[in-house]
């Protein structure tokens, strides 16, 4: 009985020590466990002299599926849903320049065309000629721009709550962005993080106060750069949405959205469906801006069914 109590208590004590004394190690452990569950490992490759960290999982002989994170995100945005796809696909999720562990050079141009060109360089270095490509939010905009700028380079396109197009209804983000003195997607301090999470997801997950400095440390450290990138793409969104070019997309396209998205209104789904001939959509209830995090299993199932039709 004593041995059983010791076996039960020891891990709890270890977690308590990590939580109070070494929160950064606890977060790293949690990240490692989620990656392992998704059968993902971290790798890196040099592209035009710049180091690109990325996650990869699955059999290298399987079809390649490349997923691109959104603004303020990173490669780990895809770890929760990865388990549903790495059995059938070689899943690759990079950190884009300006985000995650990639180069945070403030001198780089962060417009969507430049990021799409850098993504092409990444795919070229990995030898991926016609992968399945997808992205969320800003990453979906980059994936859409990639399909337009490099026709013939993709097998399919998956857009999850992507920016770059306009819908019939204005989103809350669009209304708030009218005030150039306030950036809704950049946090001012740790207390502000709760507001941001509630803005992005439909059902916010509680983050213990002890872990917040670790979880949101990069968002505060690179706040000025993130603010600059946001206004670059916000201005581009206002001046040059891709609505009129959607007919140029020739690859089969899956559109996934969360009905409660406050950043990019769900009415954009109709714009995409009407503009892209070979497209179909799936809208999740009780989900907001990041379906692969809020409903990872269901998102993976919808995407896997779509990809299976285009081997």
């Amino acid at each position: 009985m004593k041995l059983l109590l010791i076996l039960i208590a020891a891990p709890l004590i270890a977690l308590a020590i990590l939580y109070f004394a070494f929160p950064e190690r606890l977060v790293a452990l949690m990240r490692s466990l989620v990656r392992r569950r998704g059968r993902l490992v971290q790798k890196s490759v040099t592209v035009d002299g710049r180091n690109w960290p990325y996650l990869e999982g699955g059999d290298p002989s399987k079809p390649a599926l490349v997923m691109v994170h959104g603004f303020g995100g990173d490669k780990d945005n895809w770890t929760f849903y990865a388990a549903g796809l790495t059995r059938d696909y070689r899943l690759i999720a990079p950190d884009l320049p300006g985000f995650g562990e990639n180069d945070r050079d403030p001198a780089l141009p962060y417009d969507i065309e430049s990021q799409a060109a850098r993504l092409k360089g990444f795919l070229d270095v990995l030898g991926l000629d016609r992968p399945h490509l997808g992205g969320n939010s800003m990453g979906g905009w980059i994936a859409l721009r990639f399909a337009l700028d490099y026709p013939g380079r993709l097998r399919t396109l998956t857009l999850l709550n992507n920016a770059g197009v306009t819908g019939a209804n204005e989103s809350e983000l669009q209304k708030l962005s009218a005030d150039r003195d306030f950036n809704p997607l950049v946090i001012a301090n740790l207390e502000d993080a709760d507001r941001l999470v509630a803005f992005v997801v439909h059902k916010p997950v509680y983050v213990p106060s002890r872990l917040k400095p670790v979880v949101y440390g990069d968002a505060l450290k690179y706040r000025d750069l993130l603010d600059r990138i946001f206004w670059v793409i916000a201005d581009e969104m206002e001046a040059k949405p891709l609505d009129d070019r959607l007919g140029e997309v020739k690859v089969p396209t899956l559109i996934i959205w969360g009905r409660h998205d406050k950043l990019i209104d769900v009415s954009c789904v109709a714009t995409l469906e009407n503009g892209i001939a070979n497209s179909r959509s799936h809208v999740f209830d009780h989900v907001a801006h990041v379906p692969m995090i809020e409903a990872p299993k269901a998102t993976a199932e919808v995407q896997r069914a779509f990809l299976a039709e285009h081997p």
Side-chain angles (χ1 to χ4, degrees):
M1 188 65 180
K2 289 182 179 180
L3 178 60
L4 179 60
L5 291 174
I6 291 172
L7 291 174
I8 294 174
L12 297 177
I13 293 172
L15 287 175
I17 292 173
L18 287 174
Y19 176 78
F20 288 105
F22 307 102
E24 67 286 347
R25 295 187 184 179
L26 179 57
V27 171
L29 174 63
M30 294 165 61
R31 182 183 298 118
S32 176
L33 291 174
V34 175
R35 288 179 180 180
R36 184 177 301 177
R37 180 178 176 275
R39 295 179 289 276
L40 296 170
V41 296
Q42 180 162 334
K43 299 182 178 182
S44 65
V45 67
T46 300
V47 183
D48 295 328
R50 187 170 289 111
N51 184 58
W52 279 58
Y54 65 97
L55 296 177
E56 179 174 342
D59 187 340
S61 67
K62 299 285 187 178
L65 168 62
V66 180
M67 300 302 293
V68 186
H69 64 79
F71 175 83
D74 59 36
K75 57 188 175 299
D76 279 290
N77 285 178
W78 305 102
T79 54
F80 293 98
Y81 107 132
L85 289 159
T86 47
R87 293 191 185 280
D88 300 310
Y89 297 91
R90 178 191 176 192
L91 178 61
I92 296 170
D95 278 337
L96 292 170
F99 304 93
E101 297 177 283
N102 207 316
D103 193 346
R104 299 273 193 155
D105 185 356
L108 282 176
Y110 288 103
D111 60 281
I112 300 302
E113 181 181 4
S114 296
Q115 290 285 50
R118 295 186 193 108
L119 179 62
K120 177 181 179 295
F122 173 73
L123 301 184
D124 288 345
V125 170
L126 291 184
L128 302 177
D129 182 39
R130 291 187 66 236
H132 300 282
L133 178 65
N136 168 243
S137 191
M138 178 195 73
W141 188 1
I142 292 169
L144 176 58
R145 182 64 192 249
F146 188 103
L148 294 170
D149 290 351
Y150 309 104
R153 282 297 306 267
L154 299 181
R155 193 173 301 273
T156 66
L157 179 65
T158 301
L159 303 172
L160 296 90
N161 296 63
N162 65 284
V165 297
T166 59
N169 303 321
E170 194 175 37
S171 71
E172 289 189 36
L173 176 62
Q174 287 174 297
K175 296 173 184 177
L176 291 171
S177 298
D179 178 7
R180 298 291 296 226
D181 293 327
F182 173 61
N183 186 335
L185 299 187
V186 172
I187 61 174
N189 48 52
L190 290 177
E191 291 71 29
D192 194 32
D194 292 335
R195 172 200 60 81
L196 177 60
V197 173
F199 189 53
V200 173
V201 304
H202 185 54
K203 296 179 179 179
V205 176
Y206 172 70
V207 178
S209 59
R210 187 67 178 165
L211 302 184
K212 282 186 177 181
V214 182
V215 175
Y216 302 113
D218 273 4
L220 288 173
K221 180 179 179 181
Y222 297 106
R223 184 183 186 281
D224 290 345
L225 175 60
L226 290 171
D227 185 63
R228 189 174 81 80
I229 295 173
F230 174 81
W231 292 115
V232 166
I233 60 179
D235 289 344
E236 183 175 352
M237 177 66 221
E238 183 176 351
K240 297 184 291 185
L242 298 175
D243 301 34
D244 294 338
R245 297 192 59 192
L246 295 177
E248 300 173 36
V249 178
K250 302 304 180 185
V251 293
T253 301
L254 172 65
I255 304 154
I256 297 177
W257 223 270
R259 191 174 302 280
H260 298 277
D261 193 346
K262 298 176 183 178
L263 280 71
I264 308 172
D265 192 77
V266 68
S267 59
C268 291
V269 171
T271 301
L272 291 162
E273 278 192 315
N274 292 333
I276 302 175
N278 191 6
S279 67
R280 73 185 198 213
S281 66
H282 185 99
V283 177
F284 286 108
D285 291 317
H286 312 298
V287 169
H289 188 62
V290 282
M292 71 285 188
I293 295 175
E294 298 176 77
K297 184 176 180 180
T299 301
E301 288 176 352
V302 170
Q303 189 179 17
R304 189 175 60 245
F306 166 74
L307 295 176
E309 297 175 11
H310 307 283

